[in-house]
Amino acid sequence: MQYIIHSHLESSPELIAQITQDFGLDKPLLTQYFAWLSNAIKLDFGTSYISGDSVSDDFFYYLPNTLKLAAFAFILMLLFSIPMGLISFIYRDRAPDFFIRFICFLGVSTPSFWLAFLLIMLFSIHLEWLPAQGLDSIQSYILPAFSIAFMSACVNARIIRTNMIENANERHILYAQARGISSPKIVLKHIFYNSLLPVVTAFGMHFGEILGWALVIENIFVLPGIGLYSIQGFLNHDFPIIQCFIVVMCLIFTLGNLAVDILYAFLDSRILRDINSV
């Protein structure tokens, strides 16, 4: 499917009347809404105003590419943020900590789209290591995923460091040290593990943020995903595409938050015990 922006479409009263009838726009507003809702529940969002193709078929054709990009970016975020947070805590107020905090400061201050252009200029144009656009292989995901993940990784690294410093001052950590438990075990089992709940919350929120940034990054790297597809819908005022995008994204965000709540029960048994006691 080719993406074409139609900014000036010729129209006539006959064509407008025909389109109005075809899309049911001549019916009362409530009738239109309930008809749309009954179809949306079945993930049927009608046909595109521009192409005439099924919006659901096109949307779910491109959705796997966006989910792959989001998953890749999420994995990169985990791989960077957790070690950075741990190292920054272990070496706090020393050179490694200062360096990581400086990187995190740059990361949270750098817009993802600007970072994407810098990465293209360095790795695609000058070094010619990675592709700048299209989807040919797994390498096509590297630059877009890093562009999306870098800011979230820096934010989460700071959250991990802060929560671990707070937990390190708790009384049970002093008791663990008095019992002669080794420092690595105290850091990983008692401090890091007890810092996971707010970190998991941040991870859940950042997954939605990653999907949101995919809308922009896919257009920069010309990746055939729902971001590129939906942007064309916005530019063409193709409302079935816009409606499909909003509904499916809200559904994904809701399922992501539900997954975070379920994960809480495995990280803290007290939550599951409180649920069972209700």
Side-chain angles (χ1 to χ4, degrees):
M1 176 181 178
Q2 294 182 346
Y3 297 100
I4 303 175
I5 300 176
H6 298 267
S7 56
H8 300 285
L9 294 176
E10 297 182 1
S11 62
S12 64
E14 294 78 10
L15 178 60
I16 293 175
Q18 182 64 41
I19 293 176
T20 300
Q21 183 179 4
D22 291 342
F23 286 96
L25 301 178
D26 55 340
K27 299 178 181 178
L29 188 60
L30 283 178
T31 303
Q32 294 182 46
Y33 172 71
F34 284 110
W36 173 85
L37 185 62
S38 62
N39 291 326
I41 293 175
K42 297 179 290 186
L43 298 180
D44 180 7
F45 295 93
T47 58
S48 168
Y49 290 169
I50 303 300
S51 66
D53 297 332
S54 171
V55 171
S56 299
D57 290 345
D58 288 342
F59 193 89
F60 289 105
Y61 173 79
Y62 293 114
L63 181 60
N65 292 335
T66 299
L67 293 180
K68 290 176 184 177
L69 175 61
F72 197 2
F74 190 77
I75 292 172
L76 286 179
M77 182 187 68
L78 294 178
L79 292 177
F80 280 98
S81 61
I82 294 177
M84 288 170 63
L86 281 170
I87 294 172
S88 185
F89 166 76
I90 294 171
Y91 296 98
R92 58 189 180 277
D93 298 328
R94 285 181 279 177
D97 179 34
F98 292 139
F99 176 74
I100 290 176
R101 288 163 64 184
F102 176 72
I103 295 297
C104 291
F105 172 76
L106 292 180
V108 299
S109 305
T110 304
S112 296
F113 65 89
W114 189 63
L115 177 61
F117 289 124
L118 293 179
L119 293 176
I120 290 174
M121 183 176 63
L122 176 61
F123 292 101
S124 299
I125 298 177
H126 291 293
L127 299 178
E128 298 183 356
W129 289 354
L130 296 169
Q133 63 180 20
L135 183 58
D136 299 324
S137 64
I138 190 67
Q139 292 182 335
S140 300
Y141 286 107
I142 296 177
L143 293 184
F146 188 83
S147 303
I148 297 172
F150 186 61
M151 179 184 292
S152 297
C154 292
V155 172
N156 288 330
R158 296 173 65 174
I159 293 174
I160 292 172
R161 178 185 183 275
T162 301
N163 289 330
M164 291 186 70
I165 290 176
E166 291 177 357
N167 280 291
N169 296 323
E170 296 292 333
R171 186 170 297 176
H172 68 276
I173 301 300
L174 179 61
Y175 293 158
Q177 292 172 341
R179 289 164 53 196
I181 299 177
S182 62
S183 295
K185 188 174 182 180
I186 290 176
V187 170
L188 294 176
K189 185 176 180 180
H190 295 278
I191 299 178
F192 177 70
Y193 185 81
N194 289 323
S195 304
L196 281 181
L197 285 183
V199 173
V200 169
T201 302
F203 284 161
M205 294 175 61
H206 282 299
F207 186 75
E209 181 181 289
I210 285 171
L211 284 174
W213 271 113
L215 185 69
V216 178
I217 299 301
E218 283 181 358
N219 282 269
I220 295 175
F221 290 93
V222 198
L223 289 178
I226 59 172
L228 186 60
Y229 176 68
S230 299
I231 282 292
Q232 306 307 315
F234 286 125
L235 294 176
N236 290 325
H237 302 283
D238 202 338
F239 293 108
I241 294 178
I242 298 172
Q243 292 168 345
C244 180
F245 173 79
I246 293 174
V247 170
V248 174
M249 287 299 100
C250 290
L251 179 62
I252 292 175
F253 292 163
T254 302
L255 293 176
N257 289 326
L258 177 62
V260 169
D261 292 337
I262 294 174
L263 187 58
Y264 276 176
F266 291 96
L267 294 175
D268 192 342
S269 58
R270 293 173 298 180
I271 297 176
L272 187 60
R273 186 169 60 247
D274 292 340
I275 294 175
N276 293 331
S277 63
V278 174

